[in-house]
Amino acid sequence: MPATTTPTSPLHTWWSQRPPAAGAAVMATGILSVGFHQTGYETLSRIALALACAAWLALAADFTARFLLDRPNWLKQAATPAALTAVAATTVLGTRFTALGWETLAEGLLALAAVLWPVLLLAVLRHWRRHMPGAVFLVCVATQGLAVLGATLAAAETTAWLAHVSLVFFWLGLVLYVVALPRFDRSQLARGAGDQWVAGGALAISALAGSRLLAADSPDLYLWNDDDYGVLRTVSVALLVLDLAWYVVLLLAEFAWPRLRYDVRRWATVFPMGMTAAAALSVGTVVDVSWLEPLGKVLLWIAVAAWLAVAAGAAWTYTGRGSRPGTQAPPGPGAGVTSTTRR
């Protein structure tokens, strides 16, 4: 009898081809939820949070299944910078849950991220090289994600030790950014498939972490003396300025070298856009710079437009209607993440 062929659904096709970079979709959607909450669009914030949670649960199930059933492939993927999206996505969701008053759930996510962070970080650092794509900055993003969530929980629960630990992660994240910068392939500005934006997004989440550490200081939780507060304030503002400079450079590069075809790494474009908006809103509130609020709102809606465009591209591609060269995700797990993008 002739062999039968099992029909393959678009969802199954996406699932089988999903590289670790798809975790950036959770990060992008989660940070939009945070941004909507900051600007008072609570209904939109909860819709985005629900979508991010659903995607996180699916990716967590896949992460666990691969660890248990396909350990060699899991270890191979864990060595790519994009694997750190697992940590970053978890901390973004935890940050939003804290704002909802769900501290216990947020604490659980912080503990999970803290356990994953050293395992994945060491695996990634052992395989670092020169001329890497923008995903190299995820070492900073994941570390600062822990700082953001830790500082947010410290403020919510009036816990001084957690704020001080978060400060350590904040400075460590900046060190990792400096170390990653020489390894970033500058040609990615012209050829990158989307994750080149993480070069700026890492600074955005660093600025957000600094603002959350500043916000954690209060009469009930005296954390920083005047000198410490001043340094943290100056560094947070400087990080936001550098992030905005990266934003302009990256945006101009998109116009100079248009890349309109869908790629799963485009989610790593949306996340830095949304994170820049959230950072501008948060830093503006803490340092009392009024013009940062309207700027943050404008940047948020730009990020929303980018999210919709990437989501439409994903739907078009994985329903089969957009399956032409250059529109699909990399063909194998981790492809396009560990090597320089080829266009």
Side-chain angles (χ1 to χ4, degrees), residues 87-339:
V87 176
T90 301
T91 59
V92 169
L93 290 183
T95 300
R96 182 65 185 95
F97 288 143
T98 305
L100 288 170
W102 301 349
E103 285 91 353
T104 301
L105 178 56
E107 289 171 355
L109 291 177
L110 177 59
L112 175 61
V115 169
L116 290 176
W117 175 77
V119 176
L120 296 177
L121 181 66
L122 291 176
V124 169
L125 292 179
R126 282 198 297 265
H127 293 83
W128 260 16
R129 54 180 177 75
R130 299 190 67 83
H131 306 296
M132 295 185 71
V136 67
F137 293 104
L138 284 168
V139 295
C140 171
V141 172
T143 306
Q144 295 291 12
L146 291 169
V148 170
L149 178 52
T152 305
L153 276 170
E157 300 181 338
T158 319
T159 308
W161 71 265
L162 187 54
H164 289 293
V165 172
S166 300
L167 181 64
V168 173
F169 278 97
F170 171 74
W171 292 116
L172 178 58
L174 295 184
V175 171
L176 288 171
Y177 185 92
V178 172
V179 175
L181 187 59
R183 290 169 170 78
F184 175 55
D185 183 1
R186 305 302 194 278
S187 68
Q188 289 292 295
L189 294 176
R191 300 190 294 113
D195 59 355
Q196 70 274 12
W197 279 79
V198 185
L203 294 176
I205 193 172
S206 299
L208 179 62
S211 69
R212 292 298 174 95
L213 286 166
L214 289 170
D217 196 27
S218 67
D220 295 330
L221 188 64
Y222 181 76
L223 296 172
W224 329 118
N225 58 37
D226 290 341
D227 290 338
D228 292 338
Y229 190 92
V231 169
L232 194 55
R233 184 182 190 277
T234 300
V235 171
S236 299
V237 172
L239 288 169
L240 180 61
V241 171
L242 291 173
D243 169 44
L244 292 173
W246 260 117
Y247 194 106
V248 172
V249 170
L250 290 161
L251 191 61
L252 291 175
E254 293 286 352
F255 286 105
W257 298 282
R259 284 146 284 183
L260 302 180
R261 292 178 176 178
Y262 170 75
D263 190 291
V264 71
R265 284 161 290 184
R266 271 302 179 189
W267 289 112
T269 298
V270 181
F271 172 73
M273 287 182 164
M275 183 56 73
T276 299
L281 291 165
S282 185
V283 172
T285 299
V286 171
V287 303
D288 195 24
V289 178
S290 59
W291 61 267
L292 283 175
E293 181 179 355
L295 175 63
K297 290 180 178 179
V298 170
L299 293 175
L300 175 62
W301 288 109
I302 292 175
V304 172
W307 188 96
L308 292 172
V310 175
W316 180 265
T317 297
Y318 292 112
T319 55
R321 289 173 290 182
S323 56
R324 56 185 182 276
T327 60
Q328 293 191 12
V337 173
T338 58
S339 61

